[in-house]
Amino acid sequence: MRKLIKFLLVIVLLIVSVTAQAAGASADLTQLDLEQLLELEVVTVYGASKFEQKVTEAPASISIVSDDEIKKYGYRTIADILKSVKGFYITTDRNYTFIGVRGFGRPSDYNTRILLLVDGHRLNDNIFDGAFVGTESVLDVDLIDRVEVIRGPSSSLYGTNAFFAVVNVITKRGKDLKGMEISGEAGSLKTYKGRLNYGNKFQNGMELLISGSAYDSQGKGRLFYKEFNDPATNNGIAENTDGDKYESFFTKLSFHDFTLHSGYSYREKRIPTASYGTVFNSSGTYTVDEWRYIDLKYEHDFSKKIDVMARLYYDRYYYFGDYLINRPPVTQNKDSATGEWWGGELKFAAKPVKTHKLILGFEYRDNLTQDQGNYDESPYSSILNYSTESNNRGVYLQDEISIIKDLILNLGLRYDYSNVFGENTSPRLALIYSPLKKTTFKLLYGAAFRYPNAYELYYDDGGTTQKANTNLKAEEIQTYEAVYEQYLGEHFRSSVSYFQYNINDLISQETDPADGLLVFRNVEEIKAKGTELEMEGVWANGLQVQASYTYQETENN
């Protein structure tokens, strides 16, 4: 396999070299028409540095998925979008959807090491740290303008959870719709979806977007599980236990320097897999996830030298699980979690001299409610009733230095303090060199952390299967990466990257030999390395091709 990777790298580099030379000999921008100039356009990214910049100047390996691509390829969830980009893969347990990236993906972690943003608003909850990307997501995929996938650690800007990547979803604006839009869908498995949108930009400059969606699917009517292949359990066949339905609402209002956006979603999913010891082939087991948030942002550019952004937000997340458990006897068990939090951010961007662009920011988050509960319905028995609260704050500083015309040094540092876990410092260093107009080399280093979440710290089911561990500490990662990006002629873009990361104090669930109970502990160390290759072609007539290959090697020490 290593010989194959080396061979592929040599071939790609040869193609890049030959094509770049040919392009350099023949391409003259003054001779191109408007259509050709558009094909050469380098897209921009916001989430990599918290300001708009070309992807070739961003201190990370970046993928951008546009709304045009979402339509072309028929992506129906954020998960569909993510599995189309290099180094990402998606799994599901027929309840939630899980992200794997660069050789690391564990279904029980609820995407805690990926930071999910919608228009810069953090969408990881404060109980499980979950980032919802399937039908459980708070956002309808048809409202997306583009998705920014920013690989590598970004705790230097965002703090906890920005461990492997940041996924920043940029939504459409009112002016993108220019009126009312109604859509309906029907598919196999008795799947139906309806959506109603209205968007407009008014003469006074105000923009409004309102959207509501509803979805219902019966799911697979018959699913076979060999673990239950016995006459007593319907010969391993689960019937009509895979249903999925949701409803969501989103609104976005912009006026001058202010933007207000809010979202609501309610999703109910039947579980056919008999997880957590539940009764097989029963419709009595399902989960509910409900999310609502509101975010108000003010942003103004003063004299084109200082840009100020201020944000206030409030979120509420509710989870409920109804589990028909065969203890025996058969018992209806109720599991729940409620999280509420508010926070704010203040950011200053300045260019005091031509060669420096400074970012200074402050963040505060107050977890008002972090409640978890569990009880048996009949006869009633309270198993877990735990409530806590916490807060954390951070300050970050980033300097983008233009050493010479084609050489950029990006330095970032963030300090975080949690009233539960104490201090964390996260650095980032990037050297970006563009010797030719279409050629970029990046050398990247970054460190990130993730705080233990409330579920890992406090969940205890009364000595049945799992116990709490309040002595957990933050896990940490260090990543090294080299990136080569090349635009080839008028239509092609390629990239080659090599990465290596080390994780310390990884939180994993293990069995305590003293009592046989599951418990989370800082017990693992992970080392990984890999290579990512990607080629993309775009033509003015709408034709687009993409191909990528990733090789990764991960070791648990």
Side-chain angles (χ1 to χ4, degrees):
M1 179 61 74
R2 292 183 180 180
K3 290 183 178 179
L4 174 62
I5 297 301
K6 291 179 180 178
F7 176 74
L8 289 171
L9 278 172
V10 170
I11 294 299
V12 169
L13 290 174
L14 284 173
I15 294 173
V16 167
S17 177
V18 172
T19 311
Q21 291 176 16
S26 62
D28 181 356
L29 290 178
T30 62
Q31 301 301 316
L32 299 179
D33 58 27
L34 179 60
E35 191 176 76
Q36 290 172 312
L37 286 171
L38 290 174
E39 291 168 6
L40 286 172
E41 181 184 6
V42 177
V43 296
T44 60
V45 59
Y46 179 88
S49 298
K50 291 196 175 182
F51 64 83
E52 206 77 26
Q53 63 187 152
K54 294 180 180 180
V55 293
T56 52
E57 298 176 355
S61 173
I62 309 288
S63 290
I64 306 292
V65 182
S66 68
D67 63 332
D68 182 60
E69 293 174 82
I70 293 171
K71 292 176 183 177
K72 282 179 179 176
Y73 296 114
Y75 301 143
R76 305 314 302 138
T77 63
I78 296 174
D80 288 342
I81 296 170
L82 293 179
K83 70 181 180 183
S84 74
V85 302
K86 63 182 181 182
F88 280 70
Y89 54 94
I90 300 297
T91 57
T92 178
D93 62 357
R94 290 199 174 271
N95 189 12
Y96 296 103
T97 306
F98 306 100
I99 306 169
V101 57
R102 291 187 164 178
F104 191 99
R106 301 195 298 188
S108 61
D109 285 349
Y110 302 107
N111 308 323
T112 60
R113 296 170 185 87
I114 305 292
L115 177 62
L116 178 64
L117 307 172
V118 171
D119 293 327
H121 179 90
R122 176 186 289 263
L123 275 184
N124 293 63
D125 70 85
N126 72 344
I127 302 293
F128 307 101
D129 274 347
F132 291 160
V133 294
T135 58
E136 66 272 21
S137 171
V138 71
L139 187 68
D140 191 310
V141 73
D142 292 311
L143 300 175
I144 296 175
D145 178 68
R146 73 179 191 269
V147 176
E148 303 174 345
V149 180
I150 303 153
R151 296 172 186 81
S154 293
S155 287
S156 62
L157 280 178
Y158 294 102
T160 184
N161 300 117
F163 205 77
F164 283 116
V166 173
V167 177
N168 186 27
V169 180
I170 309 296
T171 62
K172 295 178 181 178
R173 304 180 58 164
K175 65 180 182 180
D176 298 323
L177 271 69
K178 298 178 182 178
M180 184 171 290
E181 181 179 273
I182 302 174
S183 73
E185 303 175 20
S188 58
L189 310 180
K190 295 184 178 179
T191 300
Y192 304 97
K193 180 186 173 185
R195 176 172 54 86
L196 176 62
N197 290 349
Y198 174 77
N200 207 348
K201 182 175 183 178
F202 303 95
Q203 291 183 352
N204 60 1
M206 184 177 73
E207 290 188 61
L208 173 66
L209 185 151
I210 301 176
S211 176
S213 301
Y215 171 91
D216 193 356
S217 176
Q218 178 178 285
K220 288 279 188 180
R222 292 167 62 87
L223 290 163
F224 174 70
Y225 296 95
K226 62 181 181 180
E227 296 84 354
F228 297 96
N229 190 7
D230 185 276
T233 51
N234 200 34
N235 297 310
I237 299 174
E239 299 180 284
N240 300 320
T241 57
D242 191 35
D244 188 4
K245 62 181 179 180
Y246 71 78
E247 55 189 46
S248 64
F249 180 80
F250 179 82
T251 183
K252 188 174 185 178
L253 178 65
S254 300
F255 186 65
H256 296 313
D257 297 324
F258 291 91
T259 301
L260 177 71
H261 62 101
S262 64
Y264 169 82
S265 68
Y266 176 93
R267 184 254 199 169
E268 181 180 309
K269 181 66 176 70
R270 301 284 162 177
I271 307 174
T273 57
S275 55
Y276 305 113
T278 54
V279 176
F280 182 74
N281 193 32
S282 169
S283 60
T285 296
Y286 65 93
T287 58
V288 169
D289 293 277
E290 185 180 41
W291 192 295
R292 62 191 70 193
Y293 80 89
I294 186 167
D295 184 299
L296 176 62
K297 183 179 75 171
Y298 168 82
E299 188 164 17
H300 186 78
D301 189 357
F302 292 89
S303 304
K304 296 184 179 180
K305 290 186 177 181
I306 299 178
D307 181 85
V308 177
M309 188 277 290
R311 179 193 304 274
L312 282 174
Y313 61 83
Y314 167 82
D315 289 68
R316 185 182 190 276
Y317 169 70
Y318 172 71
Y319 150 81
F320 174 74
D322 204 343
Y323 299 99
L324 188 63
I325 297 179
N326 189 5
R327 295 212 190 271
V330 174
T331 305
Q332 199 76 42
N333 179 263
K334 314 286 187 178
D335 195 45
S336 65
T338 302
E340 284 187 280
W341 62 98
W342 74 275
E345 180 180 7
L346 181 62
K347 184 200 73 175
F348 301 92
K351 200 167 184 177
V353 293
K354 187 177 180 180
T355 56
H356 288 260
K357 182 155 189 177
L358 291 170
I359 302 291
L360 174 64
F362 307 88
E363 275 194 276
Y364 177 77
R365 174 166 162 169
D366 188 2
N367 294 303
L368 303 169
T369 303
Q370 293 173 292
D371 295 348
Q372 298 180 79
N374 187 285
Y375 67 92
D376 287 341
E377 186 176 51
S378 182
Y380 177 80
S381 175
S382 178
I383 298 171
L384 172 67
N385 186 10
Y386 191 88
S387 180
T388 187
E389 57 186 50
S390 62
N391 63 72
N392 54 273
R393 64 215 69 178
V395 55
Y396 58 87
L397 177 65
Q398 178 181 280
D399 189 4
E400 183 184 271
I401 308 167
S402 298
I403 299 175
I404 57 177
K405 180 181 178 182
D406 301 315
L407 183 62
I408 296 173
L409 176 63
N410 191 294
L411 301 172
L413 185 68
R414 174 166 168 143
Y415 170 82
D416 283 272
Y417 179 80
S418 164
N419 70 326
V420 178
F421 306 108
E423 301 176 333
N424 276 91
T425 303
S426 307
R428 180 167 74 178
L429 171 65
L431 192 63
I432 303 165
Y433 179 50
S434 301
L436 301 172
K437 187 174 183 65
K438 300 181 182 180
T439 303
T440 301
F441 297 94
K442 299 179 182 181
L443 293 177
L444 311 171
Y445 166 78
F449 71 96
R450 183 184 73 88
Y451 290 137
N453 58 53
Y455 172 70
E456 294 165 334
L457 285 165
Y458 308 120
Y459 194 88
D460 189 321
D461 62 4
T464 304
T465 59
Q466 183 175 332
K467 63 180 180 180
N469 180 8
T470 57
N471 295 317
L472 292 173
K473 58 183 179 180
E475 54 189 26
E476 299 178 341
I477 187 173
Q478 289 186 322
T479 300
Y480 306 86
E481 187 171 359
V483 182
Y484 167 42
E485 299 176 350
Q486 181 71 53
Y487 284 77
L488 308 171
E490 300 171 3
H491 305 288
F492 290 97
R493 181 191 66 84
S494 68
S495 69
V496 180
S497 61
Y498 172 82
F499 64 86
Q500 179 178 318
Y501 63 78
N502 304 309
I503 303 175
N504 296 313
D505 298 320
L506 180 69
I507 298 171
S508 294
Q509 196 174 50
E510 64 176 11
T511 301
D512 190 336
D515 52 23
L517 294 178
L518 295 171
V519 61
F520 286 100
R521 288 176 175 159
N522 296 96
V523 293
E524 292 186 303
E525 294 183 359
I526 304 295
K527 290 187 176 181
K529 58 186 176 181
T531 302
E532 297 170 338
L533 313 176
E534 185 178 46
M535 181 75 77
E536 179 183 20
V538 179
W539 286 263
N541 61 6
L543 179 63
Q544 182 173 353
V545 295
Q546 291 177 315
S548 65
Y549 178 81
T550 301
Y551 173 78
Q552 51 206 16
E553 193 176 281
T554 309
E555 296 180 0
N556 186 339
N557 293 327

